[in-house]
Amino acid sequence: MIFPREYAEWSDFWWEKAGDFSRRRILLIGDSVTKSYRGRVQELYKPKKIAVDQLCGSRCAGDPVLTAELDLATGPLNGYTYDVIHFNNGLHGGCNDTQISLDVYEKGIREILCVLKKNQPQAKLILAASTPTDHGNGGAHVIPRNEVLLRLAKENGYAYHDLYALTSDAQIFPQTDGIHFEKEAARKLGEHVAEYIGNFLSFSS
């Protein structure tokens, strides 16, 4: 069976300081919202000589192509080791013509978590809630998916980063189109993500 696709699918891999295999690294996994703030997270961690990599795209958990992409990004073929992996997935696969069931989503998340733990057993894994959307049905698919992530985080002892609650105030985090944040809001979100990730990093004095 072919997993349902959106009108256009895209993936954006980014490896900072790609030739430096000794550098400490953070991996951000997400969508266009994550992509919008990766640069700010990198700015904040540059003085600490930590590279902030990304795999951002349109694919939803449950799509075997996403699982394969994550296996590529985190596996031995690339040769990078991550201190922290910040994982966010839930906005896509929710359009009327591509809606997937919550069961398919959860199964996909479980498969992805297995890949991440197999490839990067030393990494601190953070499951992040998807941010609000007012498109279509008001983003009704986002809240139950966030609940799945919270439950899996509790079951497995992972951190849960509630970006949904953080960005739910439209005056503090204004959006341009009901999904993407205005430039300063995205910058502010990146600062928050960087600070949160810092709780899972150790630095020598």
Side-chain angles (χ1 to χ4, degrees), residues 37-156:
Y37 63 70
R38 186 211 70 88
R40 181 54 178 158
V41 178
Q42 180 61 81
E43 284 179 8
L44 294 171
Y45 277 106
K46 185 176 181 180
K48 299 182 183 297
K49 299 187 183 303
I50 294 178
V52 181
D53 301 342
Q54 74 171 31
L55 170 52
C56 293
S58 60
R59 300 191 186 279
C60 182
D63 187 339
V65 176
L66 174 60
T67 306
E69 288 176 339
L70 287 168
D71 194 21
L72 170 63
T74 62
L77 189 63
N78 271 308
Y80 300 114
T81 300
Y82 292 102
D83 286 14
V84 176
I85 297 175
H86 189 273
F87 176 84
N88 176 267
N89 181 282
L91 289 182
H92 286 272
C95 303
N96 289 335
D97 58 343
T98 60
Q99 183 72 56
I100 65 165
S101 71
L102 197 59
D103 288 343
V104 170
Y105 176 78
E106 179 170 344
K107 183 175 182 291
I109 292 292
R110 289 183 180 276
E111 291 172 351
I112 287 168
L113 294 178
C114 287
V115 168
L116 296 180
K117 293 308 293 182
K118 173 178 68 73
N119 290 345
Q120 300 287 330
Q122 77 295 325
K124 302 293 186 183
L125 187 54
I126 301 169
L127 304 187
S130 291
T131 49
T133 170
D134 62 12
H135 272 190
N137 57 10
H141 65 289
V142 169
I143 293 176
R145 289 180 182 182
N146 286 342
E147 291 172 349
V148 167
L149 291 175
L150 176 58
R151 175 163 48 80
L152 292 178
K154 289 179 177 179
E155 286 179 7
N156 295 280

